[in-house]
Amino acid sequence: MKLEKRKLVIEIEKRTIDKRTGHISFQFRIGPFKKTMATTIGSALRRTLLSMTKTLAITSVCGNFHEGNSIREDLFELSLNLQHVHIKSSFFPYIGIGRLRKKGPAIITAKHLQLEEGLEIVNPNQYICTVNESYTIDLALMINSPGTNQGTDYIDPLNPINFIKKNSIKNRE
């Protein structure tokens, strides 16, 4: 029985750009593998790529929603929309606070977020919510690097709307 030596192939099969958001995605072909090795290798690559990301996430939101119908979405839909906002940082790791303050009627997108210097919104057209007429939305947003703790001590629990602009991590080089 003659063993044929097969070489590992890694090549880009497809590259797509979403015209609305500007996201670039790639589809790779890697192989050949034995039957169950493809799933194992794929999972390992996915975990590695996710751990290497330099993007930030909105992890919590504080605001006053006792006014009633200030926004058209429910809080669950608002939180899902905020999870889709991608923020790029020039320093890593990062823990900080962002702000969203807008008077209605208005359609709120990610470009309305007020962030610290050095942060950039990757998808500024990401829809967040719609503020109804004669209402004002005022939110404090906790922004974290993946894997860091919540750092909730930077939001005043008695009055979370007061925007505290602190550099939570001093060494950002």
Side-chain angles (χ1 to χ4, degrees):
M1 179 177 199
K2 185 177 178 183
L3 290 175
E4 182 182 321
K5 192 169 188 174
R6 298 187 299 184
K7 292 184 178 182
L8 179 66
V9 176
I10 302 173
E11 52 187 40
I12 297 173
E13 251 184 24
K14 187 180 3 173
R15 176 179 183 248
T16 58
I17 300 173
D18 188 346
K19 291 184 183 353
R20 190 175 61 86
T21 62
H23 288 140
I24 301 172
S25 61
F26 294 93
Q27 184 175 348
F28 294 92
R29 187 177 73 176
I30 303 173
F33 295 113
K34 293 181 182 177
K35 275 188 177 181
T36 58
M37 286 299 291
T39 304
T40 306
I41 298 292
S43 296
L45 283 172
R46 181 179 176 276
R47 276 193 301 256
T48 303
L49 290 172
L50 287 174
S51 68
M52 291 172 39
T53 182
K54 296 288 185 188
T55 59
L56 307 176
I58 298 172
T59 56
S60 62
V61 178
C62 292
N64 292 332
F65 292 101
H66 65 272
E67 296 177 342
N69 295 328
S70 58
I71 61 173
R72 292 188 182 163
E73 292 75 20
D74 59 11
L75 294 180
F76 180 72
E77 191 174 353
L78 174 66
S79 68
L80 289 176
N81 291 341
L82 287 170
Q83 287 177 9
H84 290 286
V85 176
H86 299 287
I87 302 168
K88 188 168 62 172
S89 175
S90 59
F91 32 83
F92 205 76
Y94 177 83
I95 299 174
I97 298 176
R99 183 67 172 224
L100 176 59
R101 182 182 292 171
K102 190 81 171 165
K103 184 168 176 50
I107 296 174
I108 308 296
T109 59
K111 67 183 171 192
H112 294 107
L113 296 175
Q114 300 167 6
L115 304 174
E116 290 184 11
E117 192 174 320
L119 300 181
E120 177 188 348
I121 298 172
V122 175
N123 52 346
N125 295 323
Q126 171 62 42
Y127 175 77
I128 296 175
C129 67
T130 300
V131 180
N132 292 326
E133 192 171 351
S134 75
Y135 289 102
T136 301
I137 189 167
D138 192 6
L139 304 175
L141 310 163
M142 177 60 70
I143 302 169
N144 275 344
S145 305
T148 57
N149 62 7
Q150 293 294 314
T152 53
D153 52 338
Y154 297 108
I155 296 179
D156 182 6
L158 298 176
N159 192 359
I161 296 303
N162 286 342
F163 182 60
I164 303 168
K165 188 166 182 145
K166 279 189 178 179
N167 288 338
S168 57
I169 298 177
K170 297 288 182 191
N171 301 329
R172 293 191 172 169
E173 289 97 29

